[in-house]
Amino acid sequence: EAALRELREVVRPLREPGYGEALRRKAERARKRRLRLQRRKHEARAAKEEEAARAAEREAKIDQWRAKCIQEVEEKNRERELKAAADSVLSEVRKKQADTKRMMDILRGLEKLRKLRKEAAARKGVCPPPSADEAFENQVESLKTLLKTRTELYEAEERALRVMLEGEQEEERKREMEKKQKKEREKLLQQKLEMDSKLFGDPAEFPLGHLLQPFRDYYLQAEHSVAALIQIRHEWDQYLVPADHPEGSCIPPGWVLPSLPTNDTWATAVR
């Protein structure tokens, strides 16, 4: 009987009116709470994965930028070393040319000195034999020929070095021009992407079955089909007029971007 009374006490709330509905609401709240926790957990996991993907993308961009900087520094160092080596060789060649010129001046000074001494000796009645004059002239001519050969050789070396330096400078100017053109192309591509995003939305946010996808495919069909490009160009060419034509205007060179919203209501509609 005591066990029976205990069981009746346990079962008694089940017989009260509304207990089943309260139990159902409690179970429903528990189920919703469990789903909410699962959704939050899933959202937290997705946010974590997205943050990890963004971090990996940032790291990849940083590594790419670092590699680019290292490559530019290495190229500048190589160019600096090459220029320093060329300048060093050019300085050495110029030094040799200066030495050769100084030797030529010394030879001319020796010729002038011998002439003066010969005139002084002649006034005193002393005349050197013709063989001495001939030996001196032969020696001087031999040295002049050697110095002339050396001078031509050094001039050829200088011209070759100058051509090499000019070629390196031309290569440097060409590389700078290519870098400038690359930056211009990247800038134009970025402007085109921004313009397309303003006109057709961000492609990354477009799911496969987006409502605007048919319109996007229609307006961008010329980028994927030559026949569509020819047809669109033919239709546009029918309306070509000069810039000063009174009944029309020329075709704009690019997309005509929409104006910015002038009030909050318009802005919410655009969004």
Side-chain angles (χ1 to χ4, degrees):
E1 290 180 356
L4 183 60
R5 285 195 300 269
E6 185 178 356
L7 287 174
R8 285 175 179 174
E9 287 295 327
V10 172
V11 176
R12 186 174 54 82
L14 298 177
R15 295 176 179 175
E16 294 178 357
Y19 182 79
E21 183 65 22
L23 190 62
R24 189 188 63 80
R25 288 196 300 268
K26 185 177 179 181
E28 183 67 18
R29 285 196 300 269
R31 186 185 66 83
K32 289 182 178 180
R33 182 174 179 272
R34 186 168 56 254
L35 291 177
R36 186 166 59 253
L37 291 176
Q38 290 178 355
R39 185 170 62 252
R40 289 179 180 176
K41 186 176 180 181
H42 178 72
E43 291 176 354
R45 189 188 306 114
K48 187 175 180 181
E49 292 176 355
E50 185 178 358
E51 180 61 27
R54 286 198 297 266
E57 185 178 359
R58 287 195 300 269
E59 288 294 332
K61 289 182 179 179
I62 291 174
D63 293 340
Q64 184 179 3
W65 173 80
R66 186 185 297 115
K68 183 179 179 181
C69 291
I70 293 174
Q71 183 180 1
E72 291 178 355
V73 171
E74 290 178 351
E75 289 179 358
K76 289 182 179 179
N77 289 336
R78 286 195 297 269
E79 293 169 2
R80 191 181 300 110
E81 292 175 358
L82 180 61
K83 185 177 180 181
D87 291 341
S88 176
V89 176
L90 185 60
S91 176
E92 186 68 24
V93 171
R94 288 176 177 173
K95 182 180 179 182
K96 292 178 181 179
Q97 289 178 338
D99 293 340
T100 305
K101 184 178 180 181
R102 187 169 60 255
M103 291 179 185
M104 291 291 293
D105 294 338
I106 292 173
L107 281 179
R108 285 193 290 269
L110 286 175
E111 288 179 331
K112 186 175 181 180
L113 178 62
R114 190 175 188 283
K115 182 179 179 181
L116 293 175
R117 288 186 175 180
K118 186 178 178 181
E119 291 176 354
R123 286 194 295 269
K124 294 179 181 179
V126 178
C127 295
S131 59
D133 292 339
E134 184 178 356
F136 179 79
E137 291 177 359
N138 291 336
Q139 189 68 23
V140 169
E141 288 298 326
S142 176
L143 291 174
K144 284 184 177 181
T145 302
L146 177 62
L147 293 177
K148 183 179 180 182
T149 303
R150 288 180 177 271
T151 301
E152 293 175 353
L153 177 62
Y154 297 152
E155 288 177 353
E157 289 183 4
E158 183 181 8
R159 286 194 299 270
L161 287 173
R162 289 188 180 278
V163 169
M164 184 178 68
L165 288 175
E166 290 177 358
E168 182 63 27
Q169 292 175 357
E170 182 65 26
E171 289 292 330
E172 176 65 20
R173 286 194 293 268
K174 187 181 296 183
R175 284 193 292 268
E176 291 294 333
M177 182 62 67
E178 290 178 354
K179 290 181 181 178
K180 186 176 180 181
Q181 292 176 353
K182 184 179 179 182
K183 289 182 179 179
E184 289 294 332
R185 287 195 298 268
E186 291 177 353
K187 183 179 179 181
L188 292 176
L189 179 59
Q190 184 63 29
Q191 291 177 353
K192 182 179 182 300
L193 292 177
E194 292 178 358
M195 190 177 299
D196 290 346
S197 177
K198 291 179 180 178
L199 290 170
F200 309 112
D202 190 357
E205 299 178 356
F206 267 65
L208 191 60
H210 196 274
L211 181 62
L212 296 179
Q213 188 64 37
F215 301 95
R216 182 180 178 87
D217 294 339
Y218 173 76
Y219 285 107
L220 298 181
Q221 60 180 326
E223 296 185 2
H224 309 286
S225 172
V226 178
L229 174 63
I230 295 175
Q231 178 63 27
I232 294 172
R233 180 58 187 268
H234 174 70
E235 294 175 358
W236 274 99
D237 288 347
Q238 296 178 6
Y239 300 95
L240 287 177
V241 294
D244 56 349
H245 198 279
E247 297 182 359
S249 60
C250 60
I251 298 174
W255 290 106
V256 180
L257 295 178
S259 303
L260 295 176
T262 56
N263 53 56
D264 296 338
T265 306
W266 185 7
T268 56
V270 173
R271 293 294 297 174

